[in-house]
Amino acid sequence: MHVPGNETPSKAEWRTRILRARADLPPEDHAREAAALAAAAAALPAETVCAYLPFGTEPGRISLVDALAATGARVLLPVIPDTPGPLDWAEYTGPDTLTPGRLRGVLEPSGPRLGPATVASAQVLLIPALAVDREGNRLGRGAGYYDRTLTAAADVARVAVVRATEVVDRLPAEPHDVAMTAALTPLGLVQLPAAAVAW
């Protein structure tokens, strides 16, 4: 994504531009991209995946999580904690077991809470993002839940889920940011420099 007239846009400027572009995406294009994302997710090699349920204008739909489960993988979904901190996790066992979470529009699994450290048991962590750059820097919404979670996921493949146009050349980054190892887009998996090995 090129930002004309501004070579160093701020995180706030990036968020505004990307959220506007997502809101302007026609529903049929969103559905087409969601189906492609689900197919790409099903190709990820993992026995356990920490994923999430896209909502609103985020890329993907529940079909992404169902596609992962259909491969036989154990799928864990985030549970937002009552106080600021890393995400908790619970196993996804089907759409009928989802309940409204603390944030409006976000569904969470109703099963037993497994604890924040469970993320380290996964081979792949799918992470919502507004954009990711070629060096693996991720732009989130700014709430910090995933920033706090990533410290326990050092040995897990960290995959930002974005539209193809949201893989950009450069994003603002902070020294404490944890790099993504790949980006999952409707066009497939994009390897990033932080990946220790190619999939």
Side-chain angles (χ1 to χ4, degrees):
M1 179 181 290
H2 177 64
V3 181
N6 188 351
E7 296 305 317
T8 56
S10 68
K11 287 185 177 182
E13 289 170 326
W14 273 112
R15 288 185 180 111
T16 297
R17 293 168 190 267
I18 292 169
L19 288 170
R20 183 181 300 128
R22 287 183 175 183
D24 290 342
L25 186 68
E28 59 272 21
D29 289 346
H30 185 274
R32 177 178 48 79
E33 290 187 357
L37 270 174
L44 295 174
E47 294 180 2
T48 300
V49 180
C50 285
Y52 68 97
L53 290 168
F55 75 101
T57 61
E58 288 182 339
R61 290 182 173 168
I62 194 172
S63 57
L64 185 150
V65 175
D66 286 332
L68 288 167
T71 68
R74 183 185 190 211
V75 180
L76 306 179
L77 297 180
V79 178
I80 297 171
D82 292 331
T83 58
L87 294 165
D88 202 343
W89 300 91
E91 188 167 357
Y92 174 66
T93 55
D96 293 341
T97 63
L98 298 173
T99 59
R102 292 184 63 246
L103 296 183
R104 189 176 71 180
V106 178
L107 296 175
E108 297 177 347
S110 58
R113 304 311 188 232
L114 303 174
T118 301
V119 68
S121 70
Q123 290 78 49
V124 175
L125 170 59
L126 295 183
I127 304 167
L130 292 174
V132 64
D133 71 16
R134 302 286 178 183
E135 295 303 312
N137 296 306
R138 167 186 167 266
L139 179 68
R141 290 180 179 264
Y145 290 110
Y146 277 91
D147 291 330
R148 299 180 186 100
T149 299
L150 289 172
T151 58
D155 297 323
V156 180
R158 301 172 300 278
V159 182
V161 181
V162 292
R163 301 181 65 220
T165 56
E166 295 164 358
V167 179
V168 302
D169 289 335
R170 184 169 210 150
L171 289 169
E174 307 294 336
H176 61 269
D177 288 344
V178 178
M180 301 294 99
T181 54
L184 185 71
T185 82
L187 300 181
L189 194 70
V190 179
Q191 295 282 345
L192 298 171
V197 293
W199 291 354

